Amino acid sequence: MTRLLPGILAMATIVVASNILVQILFGQWLTWGAFTYPLAFLVTDLMNRLHGPRDARRVVLAGFVVGIVCSLIGTRIEGEFGPLVTWRVALGSGTAFLIAQLLDIAVFDRLRGGRWWRAPLASSVVGSACDTAIFFTVAFSQAFVFLDPADDVSWANEVLPLVGLGPEAPLWASLALADWGVKLTLALIALVPFRMIVSARRPQVA
């Protein structure tokens, strides 16, 4: 378990920081949390490469537990427009994190023997797409209003040009597209520290 401690601490730090920074807007379509959360995929991929999928799943589970605690705390804190975290956001966040990270591990493990960059890049792209789709759909789509009828998500379903330029779509679709764009960008950038860290340490799993 000691060998997993750096990964667990890193994942917990990212989850806590993202839960805080998601409350702070960055421009019209993003929050600061969009820039920290994708680092969770880097941690997962590093643990997968260095220690294997089983230990990577343990680190993900630790992050999931921390995320649930953060979300529960957020539902108890009242902001200007109600709880800082609604139950739909908490459910969407936890579900998206767990499924996306486990999918990331599965894709990485399938591509483990290929070129060094293929597994981390492909797994992060697939995992982040899954994460974005699940979170924004569950948290803001009218299709899931039954999860919490008292939660007013009309603001997120206002029809606007997609990210201010494209065809008309609900606001949450623009937020999701911008969020995924950041995740894709960081997935590419994360290849640099991934390569450096893996090269500095001898993997225990090929």
Side-chain angles (χ1 to χ4, degrees), residues 41 44-45 48 100-109 123-124 127:
F41 291 100
T44 298
D45 291 344
N48 203 342
Q101 294 294 330
L102 292 178
L103 180 60
D104 178 287
I105 293 171
V107 173
F108 188 105
D109 198 45
S123 61
S124 294

Side-chain angles (χ1 to χ4, degrees), residues 110-144:
R110 189 68 177 267
L111 301 176
R112 180 182 297 278
R115 293 180 179 272
W116 72 266
W117 53 265
R118 189 170 65 171
L121 182 59
S123 61
S124 294
V125 169
V126 173
S128 62
C130 174
D131 182 271
T132 300
I134 292 176
F135 171 71
F136 283 94
T137 303
V138 172
F140 302 119
S141 171
Q142 287 285 12
F144 286 87

Side-chain angles (χ1 to χ4, degrees), residues 21 31 38 41 63-64 66 75 87 104 115 118 127 133 151 179 204:
L21 293 175
T31 70
F41 291 100
F64 175 71
V66 171
T75 61
W87 285 109
D104 178 287
R115 293 180 179 272
R118 189 170 65 171
D151 183 13
D179 179 82
Q204 297 177 12

